């Protein structure tokens, strides 16, 4: 089973698109990682810099999987936010050998996490500290400290050292993402179960207060209606008719 097969199974979405937003600065290895995710017959032999963004679609286990590979060039980064609302997870790729631009990476991460379409969502963020094979590459621990990832407390996140050329570290990152989404789905199901249980108990508690009086009122109306109908029928029976005599009526001789 490929990486995208696991992701599709993780979300368990039928006839819907699962959107993964792949972001990071230019030359960080985003397109190479996306290319690694593809099925063997669909992989590209040559990877070129992304202009704007590219979209890769996969059909896995009845799910239409869509990966948005966003360009990391400065003039194209404003395009990222157009996909924030529709994405289900974010993959943030970092060139661990590019120490000079870590400050830029931090700025872009802060903009992303504080965006209105992301800030209030518990969306998982997977960081790939890519190019771990380079001699001057920083460790994932040092990159996490430089980016202040410990300050992200309202979203699940994970950083994994990776080598997009060989695929090393990519599987570990995806396994975390699978586990995180499964945990979130299980928590959502438990919350729904508790909510429905509470609604059921509330209904049982309110039944004698709201429903019973309504039923009794309807019964009372029906009884009253029958009683009125019975009195009217009794009054028109010949045997029950009363003849009132006039006391001033006198027989004349």
């Amino acid at each position: 089973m490929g990486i995208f097969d696991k992701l599709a199974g993780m979300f368990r979405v039928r006839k819907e698109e699962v959107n993964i937003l792949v972001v990071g600065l230019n030359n960080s290895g985003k397109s190479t990682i996306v290319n690694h995710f593809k099925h063997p017959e669909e992989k590209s032999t040559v990877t070129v810099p992304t202009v704007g963004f590219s979209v890769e679609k996969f059909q896995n286990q009845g799910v239409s999987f869509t990966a948005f590979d966003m360009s990391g060039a400065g003039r194209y980064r404003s395009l990222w936010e157009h996909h924030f609302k529709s994405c289900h997870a974010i993959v943030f790729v970092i060139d661990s050998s590019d120490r000079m631009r870590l400050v830029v990476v931090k700025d872009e991460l802060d903009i992303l996490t504080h965006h209105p379409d992301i800030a209030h969502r518990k969306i998982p963020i997977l960081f790939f500290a890519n190019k771990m094979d380079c001699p001057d590459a920083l460790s994932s621990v040092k990159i996490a400290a430089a980016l202040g990832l410990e300050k992200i407390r309202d979203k699940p996140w994970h950083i994994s050292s990776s080598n997009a050329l060989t695929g090393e570290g990519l599987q570990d990152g995806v396994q975390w993402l699978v586990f995180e989404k499964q945990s979130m789905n299980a928590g959502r199901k438990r919350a729904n179960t508790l909510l429905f249980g509470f609604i059921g108990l509330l209904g049982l508690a309110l039944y004698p207060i709201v429903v019973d009086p309504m039923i009794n009122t309807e019964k009372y109306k029906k009884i009253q209606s029958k009683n009125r109908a019975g009195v009217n029928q009794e009054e028109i029976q010949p045997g029950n008719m009363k003849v009132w005599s006039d006391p001033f009526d006198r027989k004349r001789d």
Side-chain angles (χ1 to χ4, degrees):
M1 182 182 292
I3 291 178
F4 273 82
D5 289 326
K6 291 188 177 182
L7 286 173
M10 166 189 69
F11 286 99
R12 299 171 184 248
V13 181
R14 294 183 179 181
K15 298 180 181 179
E16 294 182 4
E17 289 191 348
V18 175
N19 299 329
I20 302 296
L21 193 63
V22 184
V23 298
L25 301 187
N26 54 315
N27 199 37
S28 59
K30 299 183 301 298
S31 298
T32 306
I33 289 177
V34 172
N35 189 57
H36 180 83
F37 286 166
K38 295 180 182 179
H39 292 295
E41 63 274 11
E42 297 177 343
K43 288 184 178 181
S44 302
T45 55
V46 179
T47 303
V48 296
T50 303
V51 177
F53 67 94
S54 63
V55 181
E56 300 291 346
K57 288 183 175 290
F58 307 88
Q59 292 291 330
N60 295 279
Q61 300 178 7
V63 177
S64 178
F65 191 94
T66 304
F68 292 87
D69 178 14
M70 308 301 297
S71 173
R75 56 183 171 178
Y76 295 123
R77 291 174 203 158
S78 59
L79 297 176
W80 296 3
E81 64 181 23
H82 296 294
H83 302 277
F84 287 167
K85 186 177 294 185
S86 61
C87 70
H88 303 128
I90 295 174
V91 177
F92 204 118
V93 184
I94 304 158
D95 182 353
S96 57
S97 66
D98 191 355
R99 305 188 181 201
M100 296 295 294
R101 293 201 298 170
L102 269 182
V103 176
V104 182
V105 173
K106 188 178 186 306
D107 290 341
E108 294 296 337
L109 177 61
D110 290 342
I111 294 173
L112 184 150
T113 54
H114 289 87
H115 191 277
D117 293 335
I118 297 293
H120 304 295
R121 295 172 58 194
K122 194 177 180 181
I123 183 171
I125 305 177
L126 172 60
F127 296 93
F128 279 122
N130 199 33
K131 302 186 181 182
M132 59 179 291
D133 55 310
C134 294
D136 55 347
L138 293 172
S139 67
S140 59
V141 175
K142 291 183 178 180
I143 291 177
L147 299 180
L149 298 186
E150 74 280 357
K151 296 179 182 179
I152 303 178
R153 297 186 176 92
D154 58 343
K155 294 174 179 56
W157 61 269
H158 176 75
I159 185 167
S160 176
S161 297
S162 64
N163 182 347
L165 295 176
T166 62
E168 186 177 358
L170 300 182
Q171 185 67 23
D172 294 338
V174 170
Q175 285 179 350
W176 171 83
L177 194 58
V178 170
F179 175 80
E180 189 61 37
K181 288 303 296 181
Q182 287 177 343
S183 300
M184 292 175 66
N185 291 339
R188 194 175 295 113
K189 289 180 180 179
R190 285 195 297 269
N192 290 338
T193 301
L194 291 174
L195 177 61
F196 289 138
F198 173 76
I199 292 174
L201 292 175
L202 183 62
L204 292 174
L206 293 178
Y207 185 89
I209 301 174
V210 178
V211 181
D212 276 355
M214 294 174 61
I215 295 176
N216 291 336
T217 302
E218 290 299 321
K219 288 182 178 179
Y220 177 76
K221 289 180 179 179
K222 290 180 179 179
I223 292 172
Q224 289 295 97
S225 178
K226 289 181 179 179
N227 289 341
R228 293 193 191 98
V231 169
N232 292 336
Q233 291 176 2
E234 185 178 345
E235 289 177 350
I236 63 174
Q237 293 298 324
N240 294 328
M241 293 180 66
K242 295 181 180 181
V243 179
W244 298 92
S245 59
D246 186 355
F248 300 99
D249 187 15
R250 296 289 185 268
K251 292 183 179 180
R252 296 181 179 178
D253 294 336

